[in-house]
Amino acid sequence: MSRTVRETFIEQLRTLGMTSVFGNPGSTELPMFRDFPDDFRYVLGLQEAVVVGMADGYAQATHNAALVNLHSAAGVGHAMGNIFTAWKNRTPLVITAGQQARSMLVGEPFLFADQATELPKPYVKWSCEPARAQDVPAALARGYHLAMAPPRGPVFLSVPVDDWDQPTDPDQPLEPRTVSTAVRADPALLDEVASALARSRRPAFVVGAGVDVEGAFEDVVTLAERHRARVWVAPLSARCSFPESHPLFAGFLDAERDRIREQLAGHDVVVVIGAPVFSYHVEGTGPYVARGTALFQLVDDPATAAWTPTGTSVVTSIRLGLRDLLSGPEPAARTAPAPRVRPARVQPDGVISEAFLMQTIADLRPEASIVVEEAPSSRSTMHDHLPFDRSETFFTCASGGLGHGMPAAVGVALARPEQQVIALLGDGSSMYSVQALWSAAREELPIVFVVVNNSAYAALDRFAQHFGISKPVGTSLPGIDFAGLARDLGCSGVTVRRPDELAAALTAALAATTPSLVDVHVG
């Protein structure tokens, strides 16, 4: 007898290494998991944004696409914020959503998706509702390879509920295939970049998330040391792409045109690697870099290269591009720039400052631990007092949307059980996907959730000053008991208000074998 679409689909997932399913099931998804296989794991999230956030963290940490299972139109709608974030994070996801039976789609049945493939656009690379049930396995194969191709990202499959029990088309080829995703740049363009670097008097690199995503962390270090070049982090970068304690580390570019021009002033050659030129948060005027500065970009996304406003863009796999630059001509003799002056250590003065919190986390966390951050108002303080020096030890949200960090930490912890995971969260952002605490408890993951509790959407309070607003509305968040919420959802929870309590609370949480939340009131 022919195998069913479901049986073939499951076997494909097994071959692709996608045996963890992140979902929140609904009626139209139930037949997909009839006779759920023993070698698969279903990771349940209590809300669809949590589901996508967990899958995002898991996919980034495993370097493979993750499977997401959502419920029809309503479930996809709930998940859209984190689908947008996965798109900006360049995270490979295969998102499936149920659809009502094909025989009912001529009308408007209950819990169906009208124009299902249009709903997640434009934040998926490809969206498909197969024309026949027999085409579902082929759609999975195509979707997986598209999700994994640079620039990586989510794809979407809408599958009618009655497709799963249909027989597979025996004539449709579904053998595992190897699809090359590496892109080598035009050699002449890379020679131009290498020659400019060799002649430069004062070069600089700007590194973005693409460096860490492609495993090119050490290549950037080698290239920077060879050229004695300062290394800046691109605005709003979502990964650690250069060791922040390195003498050549220059700091973090601000997300505004005028400040970036000031920060890069004096460099005659700037090479942006694995990042846009540039991501801005406020309006600016004038040139993008100082006049007389030659700007080059290495990026794996032709669309990003196309909208880059100035300089020379080279479309290439980051790792291959860097290795080609390393084989370029020897640089001119130049003196290494003076190292960045790091902020002095902070002393407590009766209340816990954000700086003291970040410093204490830096002192106590294991060297190889992973921090998943979503505390926007505290990020600049984190940059000053909580440095990251290893590849794949820092993850954050590239979109600016809230609700990703807490579930993403769960996904990272599932993928990296040998490493300590710390979720560093604002009090406002914690509430967007707080159901992730239940999933962490259910999976018995020893995550430490640190809530930076300032009882406000503090990032908005600060940004309001940009618009001359002295009293923004809707930014106060008093009275939320995060430790109590954690306990109610199956985690341990403790509230910390005094500096002398902080180290002991964090030490106990780091030593725990189950998830812990430390609600830190800062002032």
Side-chain angles (χ1 to χ4, degrees), residues 113-401:
D114 189 18
Q115 301 182 50
T117 59
E118 298 301 309
L119 181 56
K121 292 181 178 178
Y123 301 119
V124 291
K125 294 182 69 176
W126 182 61
S127 187
C128 175
E129 186 173 276
R132 307 180 303 156
Q134 289 75 18
D135 296 330
V136 171
L140 170 62
R142 179 178 175 181
Y144 173 81
H145 290 302
L146 280 171
M148 293 295 289
R152 292 181 173 184
V155 299
F156 179 80
L157 301 179
S158 172
V159 184
V161 66
D162 51 345
D163 282 7
W164 297 108
D165 293 318
Q166 296 298 312
T168 300
D169 183 350
D171 297 323
Q172 193 169 63
L174 292 171
E175 297 83 6
R177 298 187 303 125
T178 299
V179 177
S180 174
T181 58
V183 177
R184 197 143 217 157
D186 180 342
L189 278 180
L190 275 179
D191 285 347
E192 182 182 340
V193 181
S195 297
L197 280 171
R199 295 191 305 269
S200 172
R201 293 175 289 99
R202 192 169 179 240
F205 295 112
V206 177
V207 295
V211 171
D212 200 37
V213 169
E214 283 208 28
F217 189 92
E218 296 300 332
D219 296 302
V220 165
V221 174
T222 301
L223 189 66
E225 290 175 345
R226 182 187 188 203
H227 287 279
R228 296 188 174 186
R230 286 188 183 277
V231 180
W232 296 86
V233 174
L236 308 171
S237 181
R239 303 280 285 262
C240 172
S241 296
F242 194 82
E244 294 169 21
S245 299
H246 194 286
L248 292 174
F249 181 68
F252 301 85
L253 293 182
D254 295 323
E256 54 180 294
R257 187 192 302 189
D258 302 310
R259 279 290 297 140
I260 290 174
R261 190 169 59 247
E262 293 172 10
Q263 289 171 298
L264 296 178
H267 295 292
D268 57 339
V269 173
V270 173
V271 182
V272 180
I273 306 169
V277 178
F278 291 101
S279 294
Y280 300 120
H281 195 195
V282 297
E283 294 175 290
T285 57
Y288 294 91
V289 292
R291 301 191 190 283
T293 298
L295 190 142
F296 300 91
Q297 177 190 44
L298 271 60
V299 67
D300 67 358
D301 182 2
T304 299
W307 66 254
T308 295
T310 188
T312 300
S313 294
V314 183
V315 178
T316 177
S317 296
I318 303 302
R319 198 170 185 180
L320 292 178
L322 287 170
R323 292 185 177 181
D324 285 340
L325 290 182
L326 283 167
S327 64
E330 287 296 318
R334 58 176 74 100
T335 303
R340 174 182 182 234
V341 177
R342 294 201 60 86
R345 286 187 64 83
V346 178
Q347 300 301 321
D349 59 358
V351 297
I352 301 173
S353 66
E354 290 184 358
F356 183 68
L357 169 60
M358 300 303 171
Q359 176 180 283
T360 305
I361 294 173
D363 290 343
L364 297 177
R365 77 180 186 97
E367 187 178 3
S369 62
I370 299 170
V371 172
V372 182
E373 178 263 329
E374 189 175 281
S377 65
S378 305
R379 189 167 300 163
S380 61
T381 306
M382 180 194 72
H383 287 162
D384 286 339
H385 298 280
L386 178 53
F388 297 93
D389 291 321
R390 291 191 177 194
S391 174
E392 298 190 45
T393 57
F394 175 74
F395 297 84
T396 192
C397 164
S399 72

Side-chain angles (χ1 to χ4, degrees), residues 33-187:
F33 298 115
R34 190 194 310 276
D35 303 321
F36 192 68
D38 292 337
D39 60 325
F40 276 56
R41 169 174 59 184
Y42 192 93
V43 183
L44 177 61
L46 300 186
Q47 206 267 4
E48 287 87 347
V50 172
V51 169
V52 176
M54 291 191 299
D56 186 321
Y58 187 82
Q60 290 194 65
T62 59
H63 309 283
N64 193 26
L67 182 69
V68 176
N69 180 231
L70 303 177
H71 179 43
S72 191
V76 176
H78 290 158
M80 274 306 301
N82 274 341
I83 292 174
F84 170 62
T85 291
W87 169 261
K88 300 298 286 186
N89 283 353
R90 304 303 195 194
T91 302
L93 300 178
V94 176
I95 302 169
T96 63
Q99 173 65 292
Q100 274 290 9
R102 289 179 184 270
S103 62
M104 300 170 67
L105 294 181
V106 67
E108 293 196 4
F110 188 62
L111 290 176
F112 91 121
D114 189 18
Q115 301 182 50
T117 59
E118 298 301 309
L119 181 56
K121 292 181 178 178
Y123 301 119
V124 291
K125 294 182 69 176
W126 182 61
S127 187
C128 175
E129 186 173 276
R132 307 180 303 156
Q134 289 75 18
D135 296 330
V136 171
L140 170 62
R142 179 178 175 181
Y144 173 81
H145 290 302
L146 280 171
M148 293 295 289
R152 292 181 173 184
V155 299
F156 179 80
L157 301 179
S158 172
V159 184
V161 66
D162 51 345
D163 282 7
W164 297 108
D165 293 318
Q166 296 298 312
T168 300
D169 183 350
D171 297 323
Q172 193 169 63
L174 292 171
E175 297 83 6
R177 298 187 303 125
T178 299
V179 177
S180 174
T181 58
V183 177
R184 197 143 217 157
D186 180 342

Side-chain angles (χ1 to χ4, degrees), residues 46 434 437-438 441 481-493 517:
L46 300 186
V434 73
L437 293 173
W438 183 89
D481 180 5
F482 287 97
L485 277 172
R487 291 191 292 269
D488 288 344
L489 290 168
C491 305
S492 63
L517 183 143

